Every structure is written in C-alpha cells, then in structure tokens.
Amino acid sequence: MKMERRNFLRALGTTGAGIAAFSCADREEAEKLASERAGLDETGLSWGKAPCRYCGTGCGVEVGVRDGRAIAVRGDELSPVNRGLLCVKGYHLPGMLYGSDRLLKPQRRSANGTLSEMSWDDALDLIAEKYQEALDDGGPEAVGVYGSGQWTVFDGYAALKWVKAGMRSNNLDPNARLCMASAAMGFMTQFGSDEPMGCYDDFEAGDDFVLWGNNMAEMHPVLFSRILERKGKSPNVRIVDIGTRRTPTTHYADMYVEIRPGADLALANGILHLLVARDRVAHSFVRDNVVFRRGIEDIDEIGYGCYGDQAEYYTFTDRPNPSSFEELKTFLEDYTPKRVAEISGVPESQIEALATIYGEPNRGTVSTWCMGVNQHTRGTWMNNLLNDLHLLTGKIGRPGANPFSLTGQPSACGTAREVGTFSNRLPADMVVTNAEHRKKAETIWKLPEGTINPKPGYHTMDMFRAFQRGDVKALWVQTTNPWVSLPNLNRYQRKPGDGKFLVVSDIYPTPSTEVADLILPSAAWIEREGVFGNTERRTQQWNKLIDPPGDAREDAWQIIEVAKRMGMGNLFPWPDDAWHEPMFEEYRQFTVGIGKDLASYAQLKEERGLRWPVVDGKETRYRYAAGHDPYVKKATGVHFYKAKAFGEKAAFWLRPYHPPAEVPDDEYPFWLSTGRVLEHWHTGSMTRRVAELHRAVPETYVEMNPADAAELGIRDHQRVKLSSRRGTLELQVLLSGRGQPPKGSLFVPFFDEGHLANVLTLDAMDNISKEPDYKKCAVRVELV
C-alpha cells in the first residue's frame, strides 16, 4: 500500500495544517480556539524549539508564544527526526499545559484526608525532616525516590546525586523499569553498553522491517511514516507485523504473523533453528565478533517474581557460562518449525518465511520492538534473541541492518538509562557494584572514597512492596503516576496514619496525588529549561519559553532545595539562578572518552539534537561501525569495544522458551493484554485534559473478538465485567475497533484513571531486568 507520510498521519487523525493553536484555560476555550486554528494570527508570536513532551521518538516542535502563553505549535522542519510532521498528540501539545485543574500550590494532607495549602519553605522543610527521620530510624534502605523517563536530565541527575551521594542510598528507580529495563539489560548483557547501535536513518536504508509486538502505526506514527515513505519509493521493501492482535499497523504489512501470547521466545528460536539448518550464518562475522554464552535455564530456580508481601525480595542473578556455536546447534534442534508452530500458533510456512527474510545476505533487515517484547517475564531473554538474529546473520552495525528497540517516554534513554537513575546504576553504563565505577563517581562529585553504597537498592516492584510493608518509610514520586501504572494495583493500598510519608510532584491531580501526604506543583515542559534524550541517542535541549502557573517549580529545583536543607548543599555548588549548564557539564564528564560522549551544552543549545558519541563536535549515526564510530579504528566491519567482559566481542545468548507465568484456564479462560492508544499517552493525566484528544477517546474499553462475544451473548458497546485473580473492572465492549484480537484474547488500554486496567494485571516480572509483564494474564468476562 503506497501512502505518503503526511497522508498516513492525516489518516490516523492528524490535522494537515501543521499548526494547532491553544490558549486553553478550560475545555470551552480549547474548543473555541480549535475552530479558529486555520486562521491563526501570528502577529507578535515568538517561536522557540523544543522536543515533544510525549513519546521517545523525540519529534522536534516549534512553540509559538504570545503574552506569556503557548498558543501555537508546529512541527520543526529543521528537526531530522520528524522533518516538520507530528502525530495527533503533537499537534495538540500546548493544551496539556492549560487544564483548569493545574496544581498551583504545595498541599499537605491532614489525618482526616483534607488538603491545606502551605508555602514552599514549609513544604521543603517538611520533606527534609521526614527523610532525615527515616534515615535516622531505618538507614539508607528506609528512603526512596521514584522517578521517570519523563524527567529531564537535570531532574534525574539531581535525584541521583541526592540519593546516592547525599543519603548514601540506592533506592532510586524510574518508571522506565516498567517499560525499557528489559531492552537495557539486553544491550548490557550482549554489548556491555546500553542503547541501540542504529538510528532512525535505518528507516530509509532498510529493505525488510520486522515489527515484533510493536504497533508502530499508533505508538510511533511519525517513525512508521518514514518506513511507509521508504516502501513507497522502493516497492521491494517488506513490512512484517508480528502480534497477538491485528492493529492499524497490520493494514500496512506485507505479512501479518499472529502469535500466541508469550510464544515469541519459541518463534525466535525457530528462526534461529532454520538459519543454522540452512547455513544462513555469517560465519566469518561470527568468528571475528561474537562469543557464545548460556545462563541459568531452570524454571524453578528462576521463578517469576510473584510472591506475597512478606516473602524475600526477587534477587535472582543470572550466570554467564561459556558456550559455543556447536552447542547452539544442539540447543536449537528442538525448535523445529513443527514444534514452534505447535507452541506459537504461527504456521510453519510463516516461520520459514521469517527465516528467509533474516537469512537473505543482500537485504538489510531492521527489527523493531517495544512493550510487547520488554514487558515480559523473559523480556531480557527475548531482547537477547532478537539481537542474536542480527549477530548470527551479520546484519548489525550498518545502515538498514540493525536490531532497534523503540522507547515510550521522551527521556527514558537520556535520563533513566544514560544518567543512570536505576537502583543499581550510575551515569554512562556504570554500576554501584563496581568499585572502579564508584571511585570515578566519587572523584567527579568530590566525595570521600567509600561514600557511594555498593549494595543495589530496591527496583521499582520491590520498592513499592517495601513501601507497602513499611520498610521504606519516606518515598518521593516525581513525574509519574504509579497508582495507575503499577501492575496488580490492589496490593498497594494506603490507610491514614500508616506511619509512612509519601510526596508526589505532578502538574495535575491524579490517583497518585490522592494517596499522597504532600503534593507539590511542578513546572511542565517549556515552563522550564530542559534536556531529553530520545530513542536514537539524540540529546535535545530547550530553553524556558513561558513561566509556570501559580507557584509551580521544576522538579530538579525541588530536589536541590531539600538536599540543601539536609546539609547536602555541597552536591549542588552552582548559582541559584544559573545552574543548568554547569550541572550538565559536570554530568557530561562521565560520558567523555568512553564512547558515550555527549555534546557540550553550548552546542546542544544551537542544534536540533545530536546523537552520541559526539566527538570533535560531530555526531555518530552508527555505533561500533567502521567509518561511522570514531572509537572504531579498523577500516571495515564492526568492533564491539564496550563489551570488555567478552573480549570486546558481542555475546550471543542461548535462551530457551519458557511458558508465561499465568495462562487461561476453565475459571479464567481469556488472555488479557494492556497497552496504549494513539490519542492518549500513558496514564492520560495530560492528554485527557486536551479537549480534542479526550473527545476522540473519552474512556477505555475492552476489545473482544466477535465470535467470543456471540458465544457469550455480548453486543457491541455493551458493558461487561472483567475479573482476574487480582481484581475486577467494568468496561464497554468494542467488537469493531482499531484493534482486532483473535478468539480467546482481549485488549484493554490503560490511559483511563476512572477504569484502572491494572487492577487486573499480574505483577510477575522478568528474571533479569525486573520489568513486570503487562501483556499476559488470565481473565473471565461476564455481562454486567
């Protein structure tokens, strides 16, 4: 199907005008301005650049400001990411700033649940007091901070220093644990360094695009439009959509591969089996660049991370045992097309076709994936297997031939993964368990040797379980909404006077602020200066363009002020009115000279983002690739120079199929998967306050196969009750929506805080990344 990028985006509901106007004090005003959009008066508008606030694509936008308000937005034609186009959320960006219920003042909750306003000084003093009490009573394990892939680099870096250098705790984790941790661990366990080796230029260079559980048409529409443009210019380009349900992406695919939930491990091994059997192996590439490893595979030893509140923490650690290509051949003998078809439901002919695609040496293959692979009880394994497909065939580290993990948040890469706001990490791929890494951080931060705690802290799932138990006594949540987004939500209940202290910083009231003891109003997006890092390693800076409303302040400032009140002001030795650039330049010291080099702050202010490593002012399109990566000195080929543990070669991991933690049975006969929709982003706390987006999809629903509905006597739009072993939820049924699940499967978007999808989901998690599995649990359906 031939379709130009702009027409594709328009078909998804995007305005073709290129500019959307807003001055949204409330929905009434938003609707009025929407009707005036085509005749926008640009008199007196000043335009400033910024990356989009939503997903990890990192589209460039220009924001029009007049009289201190953002009243227009357009795609930035100078941005190499989107080249002037935006998705429907992007064209409505300023509306997320002007909801009528913006948080404007710090508020404290009393014992009877009522809220009262307080000054910033009193609020910051209270946080310092409560955190100091927790430290005195319980030590570093009694405090925690839960951040976000929506944090700017400044927010994450301030939190990192305060928690790890100031309080000597490692109880710092981002919500990226829930979405990108498996991808991060895939890259770390194979290449010794996080984040992709490819870039968005692959979408213009590839011949075959294999999308693993990745509905790009809705979740990354601007990037998908680049693939479609490539296909329009080169009819031999092929798109393969591997999924558990048909989606808008399926309409544009040359082949749709329907797979049973959790069977992707078997399918990937089945493709590897055929590649070896057909001798479609790049033997010289493998010999020169790859080592083989095999970890723990016993399912009883690994488990799934589901346990009671009082049980031990989930601290499974894998062991990288040496392996070989000969052992791989024996290992793969069980993954014949016949057996894989039985496990996965994928016809043998399609398994063979996929092996043909990956095995054709003269065609570039790009694999993309996102939550369908990462939110998985064996998500790291699945990431390993996708990277394995490219290592075995040599389709890696060159234009149009790469494994490419996509991200869902604007700085899940730049802040969570690069700054290192995970419970075991430090900046630039360093970890707290490594003495040399701790020493480097202590040197840059001017700390006494031994300051940084070598024990990893609680990862997200354990942190909230520990907070529920009372082991974590003070917890600060910023820029995220865990009382909507955590799986198995019913286990995280709060009672007045429970002896714990919860701070939530946000821009709107949410279910998370409803259970907070202290609510802080945050500045959002262009109301403060910032830096994000996107999926393709592109670091993007923007200036403050407007003032925040009321007394809202940026998250990094909040953290710094608390640190000062706790006697830790030495960690932030910069002028109160000019700390952004010196903070960034201090952070940048971690990255320079090791293949993670960030551009200088001065250069970022002038550019539309740069892809690291940036050496001598020049960005890098392809990591590890001769002729592209300045750290590769050989004339041709690749050099995985960051993989020190494997002799500077990439690790090919043998990873078996394991069944999901929970499967349908007689009592709960349906599969349930959760995810996003085009119009809303994550928990909907911003997009549901934009009139056009809210009107398009006002509440969540359950997609159901018409054959299942007929058997149960359910009609389109009728309300039903979904029940799992953890909770119940009433929703309307959609039998003819954009998504079309197969018989026996259901899909529920999670953006609607009025209908919490995560009361149903299972909090099983990946054995290595500790990322929970939102894609596979068992439910039943009943008429209301």
Side-chain angles (χ1 to χ4, degrees):
M1 178 180 294
K2 184 175 180 180
M3 179 173 285
E4 294 180 355
R5 294 179 66 212
R6 191 174 299 274
N7 288 338
F8 162 71
L9 293 169
R10 187 180 293 120
L12 283 178
T14 303
T15 174
I19 298 178
F22 284 92
S23 181
C24 312
D26 53 35
R27 284 186 178 166
E28 198 172 50
E29 186 176 358
E31 291 169 358
K32 175 185 175 184
L33 286 167
S35 67
E36 300 171 353
R37 181 179 305 149
L40 174 67
D41 178 9
E42 295 194 40
T43 304
L45 277 181
S46 61
W47 294 90
K49 72 174 176 76
C52 178
R53 174 59 180 80
Y54 293 125
C55 81
T57 298
C59 291
V61 303
E62 291 183 292
V63 183
V65 175
R66 184 165 56 210
D67 299 328
R69 294 176 68 81
I71 67 165
V73 66
R74 64 191 179 195
D76 186 352
E77 294 184 356
L78 297 180
S79 169
V81 172
N82 54 307
R83 305 164 187 171
L85 293 183
L86 296 172
C87 78
V88 66
K89 292 187 294 294
Y91 281 119
H92 293 85
L93 261 170
M96 52 80 69
L97 298 173
Y98 297 115
S100 58
D101 56 345
R102 273 293 295 266
L103 295 172
L104 303 176
K105 302 279 187 181
Q107 301 175 77
R108 184 176 186 180
R109 193 178 307 279
S110 67
N112 65 10
T114 59
L115 291 171
S116 57
E117 293 181 0
M118 62 192 311
S119 69
W120 268 111
D121 279 337
D122 289 344
L124 297 167
D125 288 345
L126 178 63
I127 298 171
E129 175 189 332
K130 292 293 186 180
Y131 266 80
Q132 192 61 59
E133 287 178 0
L135 285 168
D136 293 343
D137 294 343
E141 292 190 0
V143 296
V145 173
Y146 185 57
S148 171
Q150 301 160 62
W151 259 348
T152 68
V153 165
F154 302 116
D155 304 331
Y157 191 70
L160 184 80
K161 288 193 78 174
W162 177 49
V163 175
K164 300 199 174 193
M167 294 190 289
R168 302 193 63 195
S169 173
N170 287 316
N171 287 347
L172 169 69
D173 220 44
N175 67 358
R177 178 74 68 178
L178 309 181
C179 60
M180 295 314 304
S182 295
M185 290 308 300
F187 286 122
M188 290 297 294
T189 56
Q190 293 185 272
F191 306 102
S193 183
D194 192 8
E195 298 192 42
M197 57 288 300
C199 63
Y200 295 162
D201 297 11
D202 284 330
F203 299 137
E204 282 77 48
D207 299 306
D208 297 311
F209 298 91
V210 185
L211 283 52
W212 289 80
N214 178 207
N215 178 15
M216 283 186 75
E218 283 197 273
M219 303 305 107
H220 298 89
V222 170
L223 297 183
F224 193 57
S225 75
R226 291 176 63 164
I227 294 177
L228 293 183
E229 187 171 50
R230 163 70 170 154
K231 185 173 176 61
K233 294 177 179 178
S234 303
N236 291 329
V237 167
R238 297 176 294 196
I239 300 172
V240 180
D241 176 27
I242 304 174
T244 57
R245 77 193 229 277
R246 291 178 177 271
T247 68
T249 302
T250 311
H251 302 315
Y252 302 95
D254 296 278
M255 181 168 68
Y256 171 59
V257 179
E258 191 163 279
I259 187 171
R260 292 190 185 115
D264 45 4
L265 293 158
L267 179 59
N269 276 312
I271 299 169
L272 290 168
H273 168 97
L274 288 173
L275 291 171
V276 171
R278 297 173 177 178
D279 197 25
R280 287 295 189 175
V281 177
H283 290 286
S284 59
F285 179 91
V286 171
R287 182 187 62 248
D288 295 342
N289 299 292
V290 176
V291 298
F292 293 85
R293 292 292 183 268
R294 192 167 184 175
I296 298 171
E297 297 174 3
D298 182 87
I299 195 167
D300 293 325
E301 183 175 354
I302 296 170
Y304 289 106
C306 303
Y307 48 79
D309 288 332
Q310 303 302 321
E312 294 181 1
Y313 311 126
Y314 189 45
T315 56
F316 169 83
T317 302
D318 202 12
R319 291 192 295 272
N321 300 309
S323 186
S324 66
F325 183 69
E326 291 303 313
E327 186 176 11
L328 172 67
K329 290 195 290 186
T330 302
F331 170 84
L332 291 173
E333 287 177 356
D334 288 341
Y335 293 97
T336 62
K338 183 176 185 296
R339 178 171 181 252
V340 171
E342 291 170 351
I343 294 171
S344 67
V346 176
E348 292 182 42
S349 61
Q350 288 192 325
I351 300 169
E352 292 168 354
L354 284 165
T356 297
I357 288 171
Y358 277 101
E360 291 183 273
N362 297 321
R363 290 178 64 87
T365 304
V366 179
S367 302
T368 71
W369 67 94
C370 201
M371 300 306 113
V373 165
N374 295 332
Q375 293 176 336
H376 193 315
T377 52
R378 297 294 181 265
T380 301
W381 286 13
M382 192 58 213
N383 273 267
N384 290 156
L385 288 173
L386 292 178
N387 292 329
D388 286 350
L389 288 169
H390 288 263
L391 290 170
L392 196 69
T393 56
K395 294 185 177 185
I396 191 167
R398 56 188 172 91
N402 281 297
F404 203 96
S405 163
L406 300 175
T407 48
Q409 297 187 88
S411 204
C413 290
T415 302
R417 295 162 72 172
E418 294 166 23
V419 172
T421 60
F422 286 90
S423 58
N424 64 322
R425 291 178 72 164
L426 292 164
D429 294 334
M430 299 197 306
V431 292
V432 299
T433 53
N434 185 303
E436 291 183 6
H437 294 176
R438 295 195 303 274
K439 184 177 180 180
K440 180 175 180 177
E442 288 163 350
T443 300
I444 291 174
W445 288 343
K446 298 180 174 58
L447 302 172
E449 186 173 349
T451 297
I452 296 174
N453 190 335
K455 180 182 177 182
Y458 293 124
H459 57 79
T460 294
M461 301 306 297
D462 276 350
M463 183 184 294
F464 279 89
R465 291 167 178 177
F467 184 68
Q468 186 68 20
R469 291 191 304 269
D471 294 342
V472 169
K473 301 181 184 303
L475 179 63
W476 193 346
V477 174
Q478 285 193 337
T479 331
T480 187
N481 190 8
W483 269 266
V484 174
S485 61
L486 287 172
N488 192 7
L489 266 176
N490 283 335
R491 79 182 290 167
Y492 306 110
Q493 304 294 323
R494 288 212 67 195
K495 299 177 181 178
D498 61 7
K500 295 168 289 189
F501 182 66
L502 175 65
V503 187
V504 175
S505 298
D506 212 322
I507 63 174
Y508 289 112
T510 68
S512 298
T513 64
E514 288 177 6
V515 297
D517 300 291
L518 181 64
I519 303 168
L520 300 180
S522 291
W525 191 39
I526 57 169
E527 295 168 351
R528 41 83 55 87
E529 188 171 343
V531 172
F532 282 159
N534 79 346
T535 300
E536 64 164 351
R537 297 173 281 108
R538 184 180 297 276
T539 311
Q540 302 187 82
Q541 185 273 351
W542 73 94
N543 295 324
K544 178 182 176 181
L545 301 180
I546 58 176
D547 289 329
D551 290 340
R553 301 297 297 266
E554 68 179 287
D555 297 288
W557 176 86
Q558 299 172 24
I559 292 168
I560 292 168
E561 289 301 310
V562 170
K564 289 177 178 179
R565 285 161 168 78
M566 295 179 69
M568 303 171 189
N570 61 299
L571 299 175
F572 306 99
W574 307 297
D576 290 344
D577 59 349
W579 52 266
H580 291 90
E581 184 164 355
M583 176 187 280
F584 185 87
E585 291 300 328
E586 179 187 274
Y587 160 55
R588 183 170 169 257
Q589 293 179 51
F590 285 94
T591 72
V592 173
I594 61 168
K596 305 280 287 190
D597 313 52
L598 296 177
S600 70
Y601 200 69
Q603 187 176 10
L604 289 175
K605 292 183 79 168
E606 300 301 319
E607 301 280 357
R608 259 58 175 185
L610 291 167
R611 293 170 288 200
W612 58 260
V614 179
V615 177
D616 296 329
K618 297 178 181 178
E619 67 175 0
T620 299
R621 293 168 64 214
Y622 293 97
R623 298 177 76 191
Y624 314 128
H628 292 279
D629 189 334
Y631 284 88
V632 175
K633 305 307 179 185
K634 62 198 296 188
T636 60
V638 299
H639 178 200
F640 297 113
Y641 56 87
K642 295 290 289 182
K644 306 295 185 185
F646 306 123
E648 299 190 357
K649 294 185 176 184
F652 183 114
W653 284 87
L654 285 64
R655 298 297 197 188
Y657 166 73
H658 277 184
E662 183 175 270
V663 299
D665 55 22
D666 290 341
E667 187 176 2
Y668 299 96
F670 287 91
W671 284 109
L672 172 67
S673 179
T674 63
R676 297 195 323 218
V677 296
L678 170 68
E679 293 82 359
H680 289 295
W681 194 72
H682 281 208
T683 65
S685 59
M686 294 180 288
T687 52
R688 292 183 76 229
R689 287 171 169 87
V690 178
E692 291 87 347
L693 300 178
H694 177 75
R695 187 165 53 243
V697 187
E699 68 175 69
T700 195
Y701 49 83
V702 54
E703 292 177 355
M704 191 175 195
N705 186 280
D708 287 325
E711 288 180 8
L712 295 174
I714 296 171
R715 300 185 305 277
D716 201 15
H717 300 293
Q718 198 166 8
R719 298 196 75 80
V720 297
K721 181 171 76 172
L722 305 185
S723 301
S724 74
R725 291 176 173 85
R726 293 154 294 281
T728 63
L729 181 63
E730 291 188 7
L731 298 171
Q732 69 163 325
V733 170
L734 281 190
L735 301 181
S736 56
R738 291 182 210 148
Q740 300 164 5
K743 201 169 185 301
S745 288
L746 309 170
F747 175 80
V748 176
F750 71 92
F751 69 85
D752 185 354
E753 67 183 38
H755 301 86
L756 296 172
N758 282 314
V759 301
L760 300 171
T761 50
L762 177 68
D763 52 350
M765 68 184 86
D766 177 69
N767 56 320
I768 297 171
S769 69
K770 311 305 188 288
E771 179 170 340
D773 190 333
Y774 292 88
K775 302 302 183 183
K776 298 175 285 295
C777 72
V779 299
R780 65 171 175 261
V781 184
E782 303 164 277
L783 280 168
V784 174

